[in-house]
Amino acid sequence: MSRSSVSAMNWEAQFKSDTSTLIQSGKNGKSRTGALALDSDNEDQDITMASASESDSARARPVSVAPELYIQDDESPLSQLTKHWMNERHAPDILPAQEELLASLLDHIRRQSEAVQLLRGEPSASEEEHIRIMLVQMEVERVKFIVRSYVRTRLFKIEKFARFIMTDATIQTRITTAERAHASRHAHLTDRHFHNSVLQSLPETQSHLDDTPIFMPPMITKPDESRPVFVHALRDCPPIRFHEDLTLEMKRGHISLMPFSFIEQLLLRGYVELI
């Protein structure tokens, strides 16, 4: 690899070519979707992608809203991931996983990192070229931070609502195969811990975790969709009806505070974003 290739490492320009190749391969049935894993003990390899079979990818695919999905033409893949990251952090519920977008970004990060390592080892590189290499490395680390935070946010929600996830078919369509397996293991370990610690000593009528006591919170933790969120309209939205006498029409650029349940479908369709 020549030193001149350093100047060509423009993230947006190079990524457009890489993304179009990945999208085309996905249309041919060769999409590189996979399960994500984080290894905090190795900073150089703390973001890895395990390849998954086509059947696993099909089961893990989120709810399809593609026909009405609204994405601005000038949005780069990194901008899209940043938007999904912010939505995931602010939403009380688990949003559909972005496997294909993450897989393509991780593949680009891997190739950029390999290129940087090769160029850093060239003894004939000038000081200016080393500065360019450092800038590329900083950009790669910035993208890694967003990917890590996005995955960890989803992991936090999956562990918090693990028992609910295993009983709700709708929310299972929003998570990947790996996330569902983690939720199942976490729920099983939690149930066994509670049983060995407390429940086995209680009367049989009180030794369950799925009871619905009167005037008490439910035993299974569920996402609180009534929690208010700040919403920013990306385009003119259909009227939002709170009740018979109150309707809100959000125009592009409008910001409102309202319960998450009223704008969930608009968020999934890309009409709004959370801020």
Side-chain angles (χ1 to χ4, degrees), residues 56-63 93-97 99 154 158 161-181 183-184 187 223:
D56 290 343
S57 178
R59 289 196 302 267
R61 193 160 297 154
V63 179
D93 203 352
I94 300 176
L95 302 179
E99 280 193 286
R154 292 183 61 84
I158 288 169
F161 307 124
R163 300 190 74 250
F164 175 71
I165 291 173
M166 301 315 300
T167 61
D168 189 273
T170 301
I171 199 171
Q172 290 180 17
T173 62
R174 305 177 188 171
I175 61 179
T176 66
T177 303
E179 289 173 338
R180 181 177 178 180
S184 177

Side-chain angles (χ1 to χ4, degrees), residues 14-233:
Q14 188 176 1
F15 189 86
K16 289 180 180 178
S17 174
D18 300 334
T19 305
S20 62
T21 303
L22 287 168
I23 293 175
Q24 184 63 35
S25 65
K27 292 179 179 178
N28 297 332
K30 300 178 180 178
S31 178
R32 294 189 58 187
T33 57
L36 298 176
L38 291 175
D39 181 6
S40 59
D41 296 332
N42 191 335
E43 279 299 319
D44 295 332
Q45 299 178 353
D46 59 353
I47 299 180
T48 60
M49 182 174 63
S51 60
S53 63
E54 292 183 1
S55 60
D56 290 343
S57 178
R59 289 196 302 267
R61 193 160 297 154
V63 179
S64 176
V65 291
E68 298 184 82
L69 187 60
Y70 175 77
I71 297 178
Q72 296 180 7
D73 295 336
D74 58 346
E75 280 190 346
S76 66
L78 180 57
S79 299
Q80 294 179 36
L81 179 63
T82 303
K83 182 183 298 183
H84 290 302
W85 168 47
M86 296 304 296
N87 289 340
E88 195 72 60
R89 286 177 60 89
H90 295 301
D93 203 352
I94 300 176
L95 302 179
Q98 303 297 321
E99 280 193 286
E100 294 185 5
L101 179 60
L102 280 172
S104 57
L105 276 170
L106 289 174
D107 186 71
H108 188 72
I109 289 174
R110 177 186 58 79
R111 286 183 282 104
Q112 287 281 58
S113 298
E114 291 175 354
V116 167
Q117 292 301 321
L118 288 175
L119 293 171
R120 289 178 64 181
E122 285 196 18
S124 57
S126 65
E127 182 178 354
E128 181 180 355
E129 289 167 340
H130 277 295
I131 293 176
R132 291 184 184 141
I133 294 172
M134 291 176 60
L135 292 176
V136 173
Q137 185 64 43
M138 290 174 60
E139 179 69 6
V140 170
E141 292 301 321
R142 183 171 74 95
V143 180
K144 281 185 177 181
F145 170 81
I146 296 175
V147 173
R148 291 191 194 104
S149 182
Y150 175 76
V151 175
R152 287 170 178 165
T153 301
R154 292 183 61 84
L155 182 62
F156 171 79
K157 292 182 179 181
I158 288 169
E159 292 182 350
K160 182 178 181 180
F161 307 124
R163 300 190 74 250
F164 175 71
I165 291 173
M166 301 315 300
T167 61
D168 189 273
T170 301
I171 199 171
Q172 290 180 17
T173 62
R174 305 177 188 171
I175 61 179
T176 66
T177 303
E179 289 173 338
R180 181 177 178 180
H182 180 74
S184 177
R185 290 193 299 268
H186 189 275
H188 174 71
L189 291 174
T190 302
D191 289 355
R192 188 171 64 178
H193 169 71
F194 286 153
H195 180 269
N196 294 336
S197 301
V198 179
L199 297 179
Q200 65 178 354
S201 302
L202 297 177
E204 184 177 355
T205 56
Q206 300 177 354
S207 60
H208 304 285
L209 289 173
D210 54 357
D211 295 338
T212 54
I214 302 176
F215 305 118
M216 294 291 291
M219 301 291 287
I220 299 178
T221 304
K222 300 181 181 180
D224 182 12
E225 295 188 349
S226 63
R227 196 182 80 182
V229 293
F230 281 99
V231 186
H232 173 233

